[in-house]
Amino acid sequence: MNSPLRILRYNTGTDKKAFVKFKNEFDAVIFNATIVAYSGAAVADLVSVHKRQYIIDPQTHIFQHDISALQAKNKKGRMHLKKSIEKYLNCMPEALANIIIDEQRTPKVYEVESEIDELVKKVWEFETSYVDSFIKTKEYDKYLKFAKVGPIPRFLIAPYFMIKNEYDRNTNLKWLSINKSCIEKYVSLNIGEKTYDLAAQLVLDKESLLKKEYLEQIKSTYNINGYDYLFIWIDDFDSFDANYDLRQAFYELLKVFDTIGKKPIMAYGGYDSILLCNTEITHRLYGVAQSVGYGEARNITPVGGGLPVNKYYFYPIHRRLRFDEAASILSSKGYFSGKKSSSDYVKDYFDNICDCKQCYITIKNDINNFSNYNDSIPFTMKTRYGIVSRNRPTTDASLIAAIHFLYCKIREWNEVNTRPLNSLIQDFLNAVSVYAPEWYQNIKSWCEIYARLLELVSQPQQNYQYKIKSSMQCWLQKNGLFLI
Ligand SMILES: [Zn+2]
């Protein structure tokens, strides 16, 4: 099966409206294990009613984090373990959970190693039975059973641990060997009556991606029979923004997975990852998971949220921008200059920027309605400098921006799945040169590494005609005829 997997990552309850609306446009939904542990009943409803194919990311890398990254402040300002993490840890091996809950420290690599069997067993149980245990308590359970349409895991992801720059080489190799062992144990558990599709996951930071010495180890770690797909998560990585060395290193990583016959899926990816799913890409991706309301690249260690700001996905350059940046690009192209009638600008917008259903509803026949994507309300917050007033997006503005974003994603998937790579790249480069020229060299150099089609892109027609002409000449000459 070569068509890429379009996966939607479900983060919070506020994603629900957008998720329900677009459920048929995605192949599966992925949840973080901590969200499943915390809101099992709600997840059970979602997967039973809306999307049968689900994936749980077992997030076992939380055993590697500093305790402070797993904590939140309570109302009195004291730090405590986040409820969702505590609930998930209660489903994990007691010996490991207690180190975090009672001793309040990060388990050592040897402590994890001695619990592998128990960890694999517990994670397997969690991925296969936790959601089911909530469904059994629901009224709709008997209907699902009767119609045999109950939700099923699309994949089970084997427990995994990340490679970090802060670890020395031996520690990282140890983590890789634990990963290997987890996959092998998952494969052997998967023999029996009810077998599942299995997947692995590789998580690493950018500095480790640059270390060539890990490549061979990664290759031997993941070169195991019994599973096809492999999720990749590189800390805060976006290949469009990455420098040359990082891009090259990511290319080499994709090549390794190609060599061992695994199908990589980007665990958090933007248009760069979707484009890498095109079948003409030499070492391609086979799927991308993306969130409803977050940026595409994601940090592994949880970081504070910061103030929410309105974002708008600028389709032609395939980038989520702050609203004011998007508005200033449109403004620089004269959209709000009043030189033409507003309805003429609306037509330009639909022709050149986005003609999704949400944009039709939001912009209607007045280009100034574009600002509805930026609706915000003031609120105050206490800081050490006193009370400060800020604006935050209204729920409606966030929702319509999310819906426009998802329409854009569906359009990207359709185009990447049906159009030739060189025409996708030509359009992309043209748009970047018009709307974000400062970004052009960057994207061109990205294409040189991953698409390697630039010569063709520069003069596709001429080359093509030349080839036809010369082969026709050969044929004519062979047959004793000559072109004049
Ligand atoms: Zn739109």
Side-chain angles (χ1 to χ4, degrees), residues 205-269:
D205 52 21
K206 287 187 271 209
E207 293 81 3
S208 306
L209 176 66
L210 286 172
K211 288 185 182 154
K212 287 194 181 119
E213 73 226 50
Y214 290 140
L215 263 189
E216 268 310 303
Q217 303 295 335
I218 288 173
K219 188 174 172 182
S220 65
T221 299
Y222 291 93
N223 193 9
I224 297 171
N225 289 333
Y227 79 100
D228 292 327
Y229 289 90
L230 191 144
F231 286 82
I232 305 177
W233 184 10
I234 303 161
D235 189 25
D236 194 25
F237 176 75
D238 171 344
S239 65
F240 283 156
D241 278 341
N243 64 26
Y244 178 83
D245 288 347
L246 270 172
R247 274 188 198 142
Q248 197 64 43
F250 182 52
Y251 177 82
E252 294 300 325
L253 183 70
L254 293 179
K255 198 167 156 185
V256 159
F257 291 132
D258 206 1
T259 318
I260 59 173
K262 297 301 173 196
K263 296 176 174 175
I265 294 176
M266 216 55 182
Y268 292 89

Side-chain angles (χ1 to χ4, degrees), residues 316-378:
I317 58 169
H318 305 278
R319 272 209 138 182
R320 209 196 287 252
L321 302 175
R322 278 204 328 266
F323 177 82
D324 60 301
E325 292 170 328
S328 105
I329 294 177
L330 291 182
S331 182
S332 74
K333 299 293 163 201
Y335 276 80
F336 309 111
S337 66
K339 282 183 189 153
K340 289 198 277 186
S341 74
S342 184
S343 58
D344 281 345
Y345 287 124
V346 169
K347 188 178 177 305
D348 289 349
Y349 177 93
F350 292 148
D351 286 348
N352 302 312
I353 311 293
C354 183
D355 62 351
C356 81
K357 281 186 192 156
Q358 187 57 55
C359 283
Y360 271 102
I361 294 168
T362 303
I363 294 173
K364 299 187 184 77
N365 56 0
D366 181 357
I367 192 66
N368 295 308
N369 286 333
F370 181 68
S371 65
N372 288 343
Y373 281 120
N374 190 35
D375 207 11
S376 58
I377 42 168

